[in-house]
Structures are given as structure tokens and as C-alpha cells.
Amino acid sequence: MLDIDFIRENKEEVKKACKAKQEDVDIDKLLELDEKRRSLKTKVDEMRHDQNKLTKKVEQAEEDEREEIIEEIKPLKKKLQKKEDEWKEVKKKWKDLMLQVPNIPVSKVPEGESEEDNVVIDQWGDKPDFDFEPKDHLEIGRNLNLIDVERAAKVSGSRFAYLKNEAVLLQFALVNLSLAYLLEKDFTPVLPPVMLRPDAMEGLGYLEQGEDDMYFLEKDELFLAGTAEHPLAAMHSGEVLDGEDLPLRYVAFSPSFRREAGSYGKDTRGIFRVHQFNKVEMFSICKPENSTDEHQFFLDLEQQLMQLLGIPYQVVQMCTADLGHPVANKYDIETWMPSYNDYRETHSTSNCTDFQARRLNIQYEEDGEKKLVHTVNGTGFALGRTLIAILENYQKEDGSIEVPSALQDYLEFE
């Protein structure tokens, strides 16, 4: 959520940001409600003050005078209740509109109308040059008894999978590799809960983009996390942290759940776009002046992890239309997938500045002053998609897979 003072003072900039992110928010209506909200709050405070004065007068009055003062209070209480109800109604409408206002993109973000306007800013690695017809990950997985989508469909429906044998061990090798690497970079390992209360999820700033992609357990009133970013961001909600402890860097392993509503075509084949997958996620709570550097640090870490696997990739800066509601700047890493003959997203890293922190009320104290933190998130490994990249890029003509050398220390098989 943006600071209302910032919106008042920078109305045109906020309108421009809404347009750039293709989010339809009536900023003029918001400011009109804001003025009405403040005016009503002033009246409510004045009426409460008058009522409190009369209440004290009752306490100090002689017994024969009290009844007269009490009669004077009664109509005031009714008027106050009516004015308070009006204020609460306006306040709710104001808050609903405030939550719809997206974060402001940083100046370096390219303007664009769709993902087609995202900008490739770096590439690394040589694409494999096969002298045979390469197979896709699902065919490889079936041939080696690694992936079973048919039995998963029987048990859970479409877009689920059983991973078996070496595929399971490869996923945990990726977890161990990323943990070992990130623990050397001052990250704290976390196994988070993956169910979140609605107020925690609201604080993240993703509900305004729609809940179609999220799983909600109505009986329990809990959301299933779409990534470990969600519980990590909410972990320090309502807290005031010591500025000397920042940045707080976390690395979490968790299952993730997404409906993937509207997905179709080749993406739904195999395990590329599924409803349940495992992920290693990085998260940082830092000071505002350090979030740009922290964001670059996360991007560097993502590239280093990919380079350890020796798989070609490209870095893409997202345009304004593809940023996401709470995000001020975002990069994706797209990894080469031979079956697509294209690069496909495996990583992302976002700087949400103080947008989530304001909603979740996460502050830090330094020199006696309290300020909002900034939050940065990034993918360590999306394990399913990284497995796809390994199977497809390291396949051999005889149908076998050469395991990346960086993973071999974490595996029992040759």
C-alpha cells in the first residue's frame, strides 16, 4: 500500500503508475473519499470531546443536577453513533480503494503494454547442440521411470505428477545445493507454514490481482501459499525490528500451490505448469536505502546458482505491464528449454519497496526513529522447472541423463 500523503502530493504520478500497470483505479474518487474521511473523523473527535466533557460534568455535578445533564447527553450519543457509522462506512470504502492502488514502478523499469515488451538484458551459456532429435522432459521422464502423470491424474486430477526414483533425489540435491550456497551468504534457513490467514494474505498485495490463481480453504478460512514469499513476508508483521539486525535474509523450502487458471497448450504437458510444486525461495527485509542493491544481490545469486548447473539462460527485465501489483522492479531468469526451442521462466526476483511493509506494519528502529522496511524476494530454485531444464539440456542419445557436476556431491548414484 502506498502512503496516502504520497498519493495526495503526487496524484498525477500515481495515476500514471496505475495506467502503466494497466490497473483501473479511480484516484480522484480515492482523494475525495480521503477528504471526506478526514472531515468526518474531525467531527467524530469533536463530538466525542463534547460527550466526554458532559460525562465528567455528570460525575462532578450535584445529584439533583445529574438527570438534566444526562438528558442533554442522550441526543448527543445518538448523533455521535450516527456520525461514527458514517465515518466507518467512508473509511471502509477509502481503504478498499487504497488497497487497489499499485506500487510505483522505479524509473528504470521499461514501459510496455504486455510481456512482449519485456527486455532481455543479459544472456549466459551455450545452448546444447544435439546431433540427435532431443526428447521433451515428459518423454524422458517416462522412459526412465521418473515422472508419472497418468497415475497422478487418477488420484488428484490433471496437472499433478508423481516424481519417482532419481527425479526425487535430484530435487533434494537441488535443495541441498541451494541451501549450502545461500547459508554462506548470511541466509537463515526456514521451513514455513503454507497456510495463511486472509489478513496476512491481504498484506502481501496480491489479492487485488484476483484470487483465481489461489487456493482458499473456506471451512478453515486459510489460503494455501503460492510461494514461500507469502509466509516469509508475513512472519514479522506488526513488529518493530532493530535496525542493526538488518538485512534479515531468509531461505525457505516449501510446497507451493497455484490454480494456474487460464493456462493451456504445451505448458500444461508434464510438470512445467502444475497445481502443486516445490520451491526454494529467498526473502530479505532490509533498510530502504539498501533495497536496490539487495535486489541486484538476489539477481546475482540466482545467476550464480544457474551457472553452477551449467544451463544456459537469459535475464529479462519486466516492463510496467508485467510487474505485478506490489512490485516496483522485477527481473526474471528464463532458462533454455530444448523442447520449446525457447527460454522459459524458472526464476524471478522482485523489489516491493515499502509496499508490503506498510500493509503488514513491519518497521525498524534506528537512532530513536521508526521507519518502514523494504522487502525483496527471489527464487532459489523452482524445483520442477529446474528438473525439466536438467533432463532436457543434459540428455544423451542413448536416453540417459548426465547429472550436472555441482549436484553430484549430493547424490548417492553415479
Side-chain angles (χ1 to χ4, degrees):
M1 187 161 67
L2 296 182
D3 183 355
I4 185 59
D5 290 336
F6 177 86
I7 297 174
R8 290 188 202 115
E9 295 165 11
N10 301 273
K11 180 175 73 171
E12 295 308 317
E13 183 181 348
V14 175
K15 285 183 177 180
K16 183 181 176 183
C18 293
K19 185 177 180 181
K21 283 194 165 185
Q22 299 183 359
E23 298 195 40
D24 186 15
V25 188
D26 191 337
I27 300 301
D28 290 326
K29 179 67 174 176
L30 171 65
L31 292 174
E32 180 186 316
L33 285 169
D34 178 55
E35 191 170 332
K36 190 173 182 181
R37 173 187 68 95
R38 289 189 292 162
S39 174
L40 285 168
K41 182 65 166 64
T42 300
K43 290 185 184 301
V44 165
D45 288 343
E46 289 173 352
M47 292 173 75
R48 282 176 182 164
H49 178 71
D50 292 342
Q51 182 177 291
N52 289 337
K53 279 175 65 177
L54 287 171
T55 301
K56 284 184 180 179
K57 201 172 177 182
V58 169
E59 294 170 358
Q60 296 168 356
E62 298 293 333
E63 191 169 342
D64 57 339
E65 297 176 332
R66 286 180 187 170
E67 194 61 38
E68 184 180 339
I69 302 172
I70 290 171
E71 287 301 314
E72 191 179 344
I73 291 175
K74 284 180 182 179
L76 183 58
K77 284 182 76 172
K78 286 183 181 179
K79 287 180 182 177
L80 175 57
Q81 184 62 57
K82 186 177 180 181
K83 192 62 70 176
E84 280 183 332
D85 290 343
E86 186 182 355
W87 169 61
K88 286 175 184 176
E89 184 180 348
V90 170
K91 185 181 176 184
K92 184 182 183 306
K93 290 179 181 177
W94 170 83
K95 185 185 176 185
D96 289 344
L97 258 183
M98 278 291 290
L99 292 176
Q100 292 177 37
V101 181
N103 202 355
I104 306 291
V106 299
S107 59
K108 67 187 292 185
V109 173
E111 290 193 21
E113 300 294 322
S114 72
E115 63 181 22
E116 301 299 322
D117 298 313
N118 295 336
V119 179
V120 176
I121 60 174
D122 195 12
Q123 288 187 333
W124 183 91
D126 298 321
K127 302 169 190 174
D129 184 16
F130 298 113
D131 54 8
F132 60 91
E133 186 65 31
K135 300 177 177 66
D136 74 4
H137 75 278
L138 183 57
E139 187 175 356
I140 296 168
R142 283 171 172 158
N143 292 343
L144 296 176
N145 197 20
L146 304 177
I147 302 171
D148 189 337
V149 294
E150 288 77 19
R151 288 188 175 93
K154 179 175 64 176
V155 173
S156 304
S158 62
R159 281 193 256 172
F160 288 91
Y162 284 103
L163 295 184
K164 301 186 293 183
N165 299 314
E166 291 87 352
V168 177
L169 303 179
L170 276 170
Q171 283 221 357
F172 282 103
L174 287 165
V175 173
N176 289 327
L177 171 65
S178 56
L179 286 178
Y181 195 76
L182 294 172
L183 291 182
E184 292 182 353
K185 311 293 183 183
D186 297 324
F187 282 80
T188 299
V190 178
L191 283 175
V194 292
M195 297 183 186
L196 287 84
R197 292 166 42 179
D199 57 337
M201 188 62 83
E202 180 183 88
L204 301 169
Y206 293 109
L207 293 181
E208 285 69 38
Q209 291 178 288
E211 300 178 25
D212 288 349
D213 236 13
M214 301 177 185
Y215 284 101
F216 182 65
L217 309 177
E218 290 188 20
K219 187 175 180 180
D220 305 284
E221 293 191 349
L222 292 169
F223 284 94
L224 294 180
T227 167
E229 174 204 341
H230 299 164
L232 289 177
M235 181 163 61
H236 290 289
S237 60
E239 295 183 22
V240 179
L241 306 171
D242 189 333
E244 293 185 2
D245 295 335
L246 301 184
L248 292 177
R249 294 173 181 155
Y250 296 109
V251 54
F253 168 80
S254 78
S256 303
F257 303 89
R258 298 182 189 177
R259 291 187 185 278
E260 297 290 3
S263 300
Y264 60 91
K266 193 172 182 179
D267 279 3
T268 62
R269 175 175 165 81
I271 61 170
F272 185 84
R273 199 176 292 280
V274 289
H275 295 310
Q276 175 189 333
F277 58 95
N278 295 316
K279 198 176 180 205
V280 176
E281 180 79 4
M282 304 180 292
F283 194 82
S284 177
I285 295 174
C286 60
K287 295 178 183 178
E289 62 267 26
N290 297 332
S291 67
T292 298
D293 289 341
E294 192 79 348
H295 191 203
Q296 183 62 48
F297 176 59
F298 271 35
L299 178 60
D300 292 344
L301 289 174
E302 291 180 345
Q303 293 189 76
Q304 290 160 22
L305 286 168
M306 286 304 297
Q307 289 172 20
L308 286 174
L309 297 182
I311 300 175
Y313 65 84
Q314 64 183 16
V315 180
V316 180
Q317 180 161 26
M318 316 311 281
C319 71
T320 51
D322 208 20
L323 275 186
H325 188 77
V327 179
N329 191 19
K330 180 182 178 184
Y331 301 101
D332 276 1
I333 287 182
E334 297 178 346
T335 301
W336 180 252
M337 304 280 189
S339 67
Y340 285 90
N341 194 34
D342 201 357
Y343 294 95
R344 299 308 306 272
E345 180 207 338
T346 55
H347 297 67
S348 68
T349 177
S350 300
N351 185 357
C352 294
T353 60
D354 62 4
F355 193 85
Q356 293 176 328
R358 182 170 286 104
R359 287 170 168 243
L360 293 166
N361 190 25
I362 309 173
Q363 302 177 78
Y364 72 98
E365 187 167 6
E366 189 172 56
D367 300 326
E369 185 179 358
K370 293 178 183 177
K371 298 178 183 177
L372 290 169
V373 302
H374 278 200
T375 58
V376 178
N377 64 75
T379 309
F381 284 126
L383 298 173
R385 292 191 181 185
T386 307
L387 178 62
I388 293 173
I390 291 171
L391 295 180
E392 294 194 2
N393 283 278
Y394 280 95
Q395 61 181 296
K396 300 300 179 184
E397 189 170 7
D398 64 2
S400 65
I401 304 298
E402 179 185 347
V403 176
S405 58
L407 296 178
Q408 291 176 13
D409 289 342
Y410 301 97
L411 295 166
E412 296 297 322
F413 62 86
E414 294 186 2

